[in-house]
């Protein structure tokens, strides 16, 4: 494992110079590991455990969007070659095989060896990462205005005015809308909307993000003992038994997904700050809600004996899937840092250090890459993930504590706020 001299929590003190130097080194290692993901055919491709490309997985929209976004961060960190990766990703999103020039929008997956893996569906989840990539590139000074305008226009197809939420999946030509509704794409569209507001100043982005947060968190999750329902019927009624027959689904798992409680908690802090900037006032429930979500994750899912957060629970807080996923601990790192900054409560700094200690001991390998899935004992596992395709969560984890938590990572880097 790639560790400091020890993995005691005190070695990850949030504001220590030694920890910040370690974070800087880890970010560079992550970007180096991800270099082979650049696909000469266009976009970016899945990586296996050794960091070798897996072309058989095809070109996946969520992954291309995330890699392009991470290249923006790498460029702003001053890493050579990252600007070229940004342009490569933007070009693929503009004109590559994922773009549907006939009907509009972007396909979910193309070019996979298994024909059943390819999908010409149009999902708001993947489009959220097109917006994240385009908005971050625009904010960082790249010529991305055309792509940015395109994805904003396309996303209007999913926006349901009466619900104040984004729907999930259209068919290829936008004639059939799937009745399923999901919280996950809406969460990532809150994230992307915050960045879009920084990129163009349009308050519509904050209005929509606020609408989503109120519906999912204030109206539903707060009334559900802070266990966040992920799946909904067409009328946005929670559907708590959705996915019971496929509990290990990548993107629609059964039960309550703990990592999303943590992710939402961090986004609420940024959204509350954006509301104050735009409206002069903010929803007063947001910071307390962030604390409640973090506390529920700790109470239900943190394993005091073995460490790490379980992946999912039932609606009474009993663990359903006890595997440890890299993105969950990465979000615990980011949210504990954000809560420490806005509250000053030392307990959150301790959770930050504890989360990093677990990640360093169990997830991070000698080359700086993160094992994506572990069992409850912290040993390499599979079942949901294979390989190491996802750079986005781990890279951001190295930056959250070094930047203002009330801005996007892109904005913080662009403004020179990196500590």
């Amino acid at each position: 494992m790639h560790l400091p001299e020890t993995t005691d929590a005190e070695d990850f003190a949030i504001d220590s110079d030694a920890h910040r130097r370690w974070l800087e080194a880890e970010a560079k290692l992550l970007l180096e590991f991800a270099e082979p993901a650049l696909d000469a055919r266009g976009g970016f491709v899945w990586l296996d455990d050794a960091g070798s490309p897996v072309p058989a997985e095809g070109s996946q929209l969520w992954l291309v969007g995330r890699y392009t976004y991470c290249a923006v961060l790498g460029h702003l960190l001053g890493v050579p070659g990252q600007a070229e990766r940004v342009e490569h990703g933007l070009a693929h999103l503009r004109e590559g095989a994922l773009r549907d020039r006939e009907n509009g929008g972007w396909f979910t997956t193309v070019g996979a060896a298994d024909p059943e893996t390819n999908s010409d569906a149009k999902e708001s989840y993947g489009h959220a990462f097109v917006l994240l990539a385009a908005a971050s590139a625009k904010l960082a000074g790249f010529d991305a205005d055309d792509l940015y305008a395109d994805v904003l226009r396309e996303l209007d197809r999913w926006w349901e005015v009466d619900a104040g939420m984004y729907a999930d999946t259209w068919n290829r030509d936008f004639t059939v809308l799937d009745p399923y509704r999901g919280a996950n794409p809406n969460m990532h569209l809150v994230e992307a909307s915050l960045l879009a507001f920084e990129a163009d100043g349009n308050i519509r982005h904050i209005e929509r993000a606020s609408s989503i947060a109120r519906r999912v968190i204030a109206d539903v999750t707060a009334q559900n003992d802070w266990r966040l329902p992920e799946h909904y019927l067409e009328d946005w009624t929670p559907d708590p038994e959705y996915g019971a027959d496929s509990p290990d689904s990548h993107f629609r798992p059964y039960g309550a997904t703990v990592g999303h409680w943590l992710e939402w908690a961090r986004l609420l802090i940024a959204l509350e700050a954006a509301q104050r900037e735009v409206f002069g006032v903010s929803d007063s429930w947001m910071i307390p809600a962030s604390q409640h979500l973090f506390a529920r994750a700790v109470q239900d899912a943190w394993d005091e004996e073995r460490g790490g957060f379980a992946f999912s629970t039932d609606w009474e807080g009993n663990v359903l899937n006890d595997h440890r996923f890299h993105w969950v601990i990465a979000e615990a790192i980011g949210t504990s840092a954000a809560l420490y900054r806005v509250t000053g409560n030392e307990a959150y700094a301790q959770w930050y250090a504890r989360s990093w200690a677990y990640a360093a001991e169990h997830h991070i390998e000698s080359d700086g890459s993160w094992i994506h899935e572990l069992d409850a004992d912290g040993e390499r596992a599979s079942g949901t993930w294979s390989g190491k395709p996802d750079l986005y969560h781990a890279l951001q984890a190295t930056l959250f504590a070094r930047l203002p938590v009330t801005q996007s990572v892109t904005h913080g880097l662009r403004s020179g706020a990196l500590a």
Side-chain angles (χ1 to χ4, degrees):
M1 300 298 177
H2 188 72
L3 310 175
E5 292 183 2
T6 70
T7 55
D8 294 334
E10 56 262 31
D11 295 310
F12 300 92
I14 190 167
D15 288 324
S16 75
D17 290 340
H19 178 54
R20 286 178 173 173
R21 287 193 299 271
W22 185 78
L23 291 175
E24 182 178 359
E26 290 302 306
K28 291 179 179 177
L29 286 170
L30 281 163
L31 289 166
E32 288 173 8
F33 181 84
E35 286 181 4
L38 189 143
D39 189 346
R41 301 169 300 177
F44 300 91
V45 70
W46 196 279
L47 297 180
D48 66 13
D49 283 332
S52 298
V54 186
E57 293 286 350
S59 182
Q60 301 184 32
L61 184 60
W62 68 278
L63 203 56
V64 172
R66 286 187 181 188
Y67 268 122
T68 305
Y69 164 73
C70 288
V72 173
L73 303 186
H75 168 68
L76 292 173
L77 285 168
V79 178
Q82 294 296 310
E84 290 79 6
R85 293 171 75 87
V86 176
E87 297 289 4
H88 180 82
L90 294 176
H92 187 63
L93 291 171
R94 285 189 184 101
E95 301 291 343
L98 286 165
R99 186 73 164 113
D100 185 347
R101 307 306 301 181
E102 178 182 357
N103 300 295
W106 286 263
F107 302 126
T108 300
T109 304
V110 299
D114 181 355
E116 294 187 4
T117 300
N118 294 314
S119 173
D120 62 3
K122 308 292 175 59
E123 296 180 349
S124 55
Y125 179 84
H127 284 66
F129 294 108
V130 179
L131 179 57
L132 193 74
S136 61
K138 177 179 170 66
L139 186 61
F142 290 90
D143 183 9
D145 286 356
D146 56 341
L147 179 64
Y148 180 74
D150 281 350
V151 67
L152 286 177
R153 182 173 57 253
E154 295 294 350
L155 278 166
D156 281 342
R157 299 178 189 261
W158 280 270
W159 182 249
E160 299 190 300
V161 174
D162 291 344
M165 301 285 289
Y166 286 95
D168 198 273
T169 305
W170 283 102
N171 68 338
R172 180 177 187 139
D173 63 1
F174 293 98
T175 57
V176 179
L177 182 61
D178 192 291
Y180 172 85
R181 301 291 185 270
N184 190 18
N186 280 276
M187 179 187 71
H188 284 294
L189 282 160
V190 167
E191 174 190 29
S193 294
L194 287 166
L195 217 159
F197 170 69
E198 294 173 336
D200 69 11
N202 191 328
I203 66 171
R204 187 190 79 159
H205 305 308
I206 303 305
E207 291 171 341
R208 286 193 178 185
S210 299
S211 172
I212 293 166
R214 291 179 191 124
R215 182 68 176 258
V216 174
I217 304 300
D219 295 349
V220 177
T221 303
Q223 315 308 317
N224 198 48
D225 209 12
W226 298 103
R227 298 183 181 101
L228 190 156
E230 296 285 344
H231 312 299
Y232 296 78
L233 302 174
E234 190 171 10
D235 65 357
W236 285 100
T237 301
D239 187 6
E241 291 306 303
Y242 182 94
D245 58 346
S246 55
D248 294 327
S249 168
H250 251 122
F251 298 114
R252 296 185 185 180
Y254 175 60
T257 305
V258 174
H260 288 160
W261 312 349
L262 298 165
E263 206 163 351
W264 266 109
R266 177 174 57 80
L267 291 171
L268 288 175
I269 292 169
L271 179 57
E272 190 271 342
Q275 286 184 340
R276 281 189 280 109
E277 178 181 347
V278 171
F279 307 121
V281 295
S282 65
D283 285 339
S284 61
W285 58 267
M286 285 191 173
I287 303 302
S290 178
Q291 294 174 288
H292 283 302
L293 287 164
F294 188 87
R296 173 55 65 201
V298 168
Q299 181 175 335
D300 285 3
W302 178 262
D303 189 325
E304 195 62 43
E305 179 181 349
R306 295 173 291 185
F309 286 93
F311 176 69
S312 63
T313 73
D314 66 16
W315 303 111
E316 284 72 47
N318 302 302
V319 170
L320 290 176
N321 184 336
D322 64 5
H323 279 202
R324 280 44 165 160
F325 291 84
H326 85 294
W327 70 267
V328 177
I329 201 69
E331 290 302 327
I333 288 165
T335 298
S336 54
L339 282 167
Y340 175 63
R341 299 299 188 211
V342 297
T343 68
N345 187 335
E346 186 64 28
Y348 293 120
Q350 294 171 8
W351 272 109
Y352 173 86
R354 182 180 294 186
S355 298
W356 259 125
Y358 183 86
E361 183 172 358
H362 297 286
H363 283 283
I364 304 177
E365 301 210 84
S366 59
D367 57 9
S369 64
W370 289 45
I371 302 169
H372 280 25
E373 184 174 357
L374 306 168
D375 66 19
D377 293 318
E379 300 297 326
R380 189 188 298 268
S382 60
T384 302
W385 281 98
S386 64
K388 298 175 181 175
D390 189 20
L391 175 64
Y392 151 91
H393 286 285
L395 181 61
Q396 291 190 125
T398 69
L399 297 170
F400 286 132
R402 304 168 62 202
L403 292 165
V405 299
T406 55
Q407 303 172 346
S408 72
V409 172
T410 308
H411 187 271
L413 291 173
R414 174 69 170 168
S415 62
L418 187 67

